[in-house]
Amino acid sequence: MQGAGSLAIRQVAYFVPDIEAAARAHSEIFGSGPFFVLRHIPLAASEHRGVPHRFDHSSAYGQWGGVMIEFVEQHGDGPSAMHDLFPAGSGRFGLHHMAVFVEGLDAAIADFEARGHPLAQLSEVEGGTRFAFMDASATLGHMIELYEPGEALLGFYAMVRDAARDWDGTDVLRELQRS
């Protein structure tokens, strides 16, 4: 496992029924934002608990102090790491995961599994970035999301962080278009 300082929290994410309402409410209470909305994020592949499944979701990403905040909405009732913690149809929502950057995703997955945090979901966005949800709910009450900090991911984090500098609180939600 990587040293203690190297696994700093990069993102806090909530599973919500409505990403726009959640982003607006969080911004109003905490001053976070602006939020960048990606709808029906295209994935090249996704598997939940070792079985391929479609994971149709939308997210809103904003800056909250030194950390990114994400609100995730799943479209449909299919199996996912979201529904592992908040079963489809339960009406339950809340803190889902905290994200960290790792060097070597496959090795990090093996390390987390060896420590009792099994792989719940492994997905890959169409641009090639893979992310893994490790199930730490038995000890922490939430998932841990693992990413390798590639150029595209670091650029996205920087874009969200830079938009928050000197932000005047207007235009809370901003749609992102797929390129």
Side-chain angles (χ1 to χ4, degrees):
M1 180 71 65
Q2 298 169 345
S6 63
L7 289 181
I9 294 170
R10 306 298 178 141
Q11 179 194 79
V12 175
Y14 292 87
F15 179 60
V16 298
D18 182 327
I19 58 175
E20 291 181 16
R24 283 189 183 103
H26 200 275
S27 182
E28 183 177 316
I29 295 167
F30 297 106
S32 56
F35 284 86
F36 295 89
V37 177
L38 278 170
R39 299 185 191 281
H40 300 280
I41 297 170
L43 298 178
S46 188
E47 71 178 41
H48 173 259
R49 306 282 177 180
V51 177
H53 281 285
R54 185 170 185 258
F55 179 49
D56 184 11
H57 70 293
S58 296
S59 291
Y61 306 89
Q63 195 68 22
W64 184 21
V67 70
M68 177 186 280
I69 184 141
E70 176 186 16
F71 296 106
V72 182
E73 176 182 344
Q74 182 171 335
H75 309 291
D77 293 339
S80 71
M82 301 295 151
H83 288 155
D84 284 352
L85 296 186
F86 305 103
S90 70
R92 294 181 43 233
F93 300 92
L95 175 66
H96 183 265
H97 65 267
M98 294 190 186
V100 297
F101 292 163
V102 297
E103 294 195 26
L105 184 60
D106 295 326
I109 290 169
D111 282 345
F112 273 86
E113 287 186 318
R115 294 170 188 269
H117 304 300
L119 176 63
Q121 184 170 322
L122 180 62
S123 299
E124 181 178 334
V125 298
E126 284 187 347
T129 300
R130 294 186 310 149
F131 59 96
F133 290 118
M134 308 307 296
D135 190 348
S137 61
T139 56
L140 300 176
H142 59 77
M143 299 275 178
I144 300 168
E145 184 177 33
L146 308 178
Y147 280 112
E148 288 179 328
E151 187 177 321
L153 184 65
L154 291 174
F156 180 72
Y157 270 72
M159 184 271 301
V160 171
R161 182 185 60 245
D162 292 348
R165 286 194 187 111
D166 302 320
W167 179 54
D168 66 2
T170 61
D171 195 19
V172 174
L173 297 172
R174 301 171 184 191
E175 294 286 331
L176 283 178
Q177 303 302 318
R178 292 192 265 282
S179 49

